[in-house]
Amino acid sequence: MSNIATTIEQSKHLLKLGLSKETSDMSYSEEYFGEDKDGNGVWRWKLNACKFVDIEGIIPAWSLSALLEVIPAMIVYPTWVDKRPTDVWFNLDKDYNSETKKQFYMCYYKSLDTHQLAKNTDPSHVSPIDAAYEMVCWLLEQELIKKRGQQ
């Protein structure tokens, strides 16, 4: 089963890297689920299919659609071979590994002219959200997308 949103850990990491909460389209909130056998209150995280509300204890989450909205279609970045800045275009692919007999997702930026890669994600992601999450992290680390508070 694939995720429908970033995990709590992924969401916290995106925030730490500077991604704006306003770009999220879902959220996690804690809900009371009763008591355990010892009478202690049991709280669990619940994923809400609603936009993030800035209230303490609410953690923003990103669906695949929200992550793709953050990713630029084109960036100027050096390719691995030429090492010179060039226009590279975003792709999200679903492929199949004949050795492991599993399908996987991979995001990458590639030059349309030379077909050289500038960046690709780990080809072991079984969820498109995980591949897109990795790409957004890289873009934030490279300062290729605006961080929270930047104009």
Side-chain angles (χ1 to χ4, degrees), residues 106-122:
M106 185 170 73
C107 292
Y108 57 92
Y109 276 98
K110 180 171 91 172
S111 166
L112 296 180
D113 298 333
T114 63
H115 301 286
Q116 295 178 18
L117 290 176
K119 166 64 181 168
N120 69 290
T121 59
D122 184 340

Side-chain angles (χ1 to χ4, degrees), residues 93-143:
D93 280 355
K94 181 179 185 179
D95 211 338
Y96 181 78
N97 183 325
S98 58
E99 286 184 24
T100 63
K101 308 244 186 291
K102 292 183 181 179
Q103 54 189 20
F104 64 91
Y105 294 88
M106 185 170 73
C107 292
Y108 57 92
Y109 276 98
K110 180 171 91 172
S111 166
L112 296 180
D113 298 333
T114 63
H115 301 286
Q116 295 178 18
L117 290 176
K119 166 64 181 168
N120 69 290
T121 59
D122 184 340
S124 65
H125 296 297
V126 295
S127 165
I129 287 181
D130 292 337
Y133 160 78
E134 182 185 333
M135 183 58 76
V136 170
C137 289
W138 179 79
L139 289 163
L140 287 164
E141 290 163 355
Q142 300 300 310
E143 298 183 354

Side-chain angles (χ1 to χ4, degrees), residues 21 25-26 29 46 48 51 76 80 84 95 113 134 136 138 146:
K21 297 173 184 178
D25 61 346
M26 302 180 92
S29 61
K46 177 186 174 197
N48 304 295
K51 192 150 177 76
V76 176
W80 290 342
R84 62 181 172 82
D95 211 338
D113 298 333
E134 182 185 333
V136 170
W138 179 79
K146 292 179 182 173

Side-chain angles (χ1 to χ4, degrees), residues 2-120:
S2 65
N3 300 336
I4 62 166
T6 53
T7 65
I8 293 172
E9 293 77 22
Q10 288 172 331
S11 295
K12 287 179 177 180
H13 187 239
L14 289 171
L15 292 172
K16 184 178 176 184
L17 289 174
L19 189 60
S20 173
K21 297 173 184 178
E22 288 73 31
T23 61
S24 70
D25 61 346
M26 302 180 92
S27 61
Y28 287 99
S29 61
E30 281 192 300
E31 289 200 353
Y32 183 73
F33 277 86
E35 296 182 351
D36 63 13
K37 62 181 177 163
D38 298 324
N40 299 316
V42 176
W43 291 81
R44 295 192 180 133
W45 288 103
K46 177 186 174 197
L47 180 63
N48 304 295
C50 61
K51 192 150 177 76
F52 170 74
V53 179
D54 203 1
I55 299 173
E56 189 172 337
I58 305 290
I59 298 173
W62 288 262
S63 68
L64 178 59
S65 295
L67 289 173
L68 292 175
E69 283 297 317
V70 171
I71 296 172
M74 189 274 299
I75 60 173
V76 176
Y77 200 78
T79 59
W80 290 342
V81 176
D82 286 349
K83 305 287 189 217
R84 62 181 172 82
T86 189
D87 293 352
V88 289
W89 297 86
F90 176 74
N91 294 272
L92 170 62
D93 280 355
K94 181 179 185 179
D95 211 338
Y96 181 78
N97 183 325
S98 58
E99 286 184 24
T100 63
K101 308 244 186 291
K102 292 183 181 179
Q103 54 189 20
F104 64 91
Y105 294 88
M106 185 170 73
C107 292
Y108 57 92
Y109 276 98
K110 180 171 91 172
S111 166
L112 296 180
D113 298 333
T114 63
H115 301 286
Q116 295 178 18
L117 290 176
K119 166 64 181 168
N120 69 290

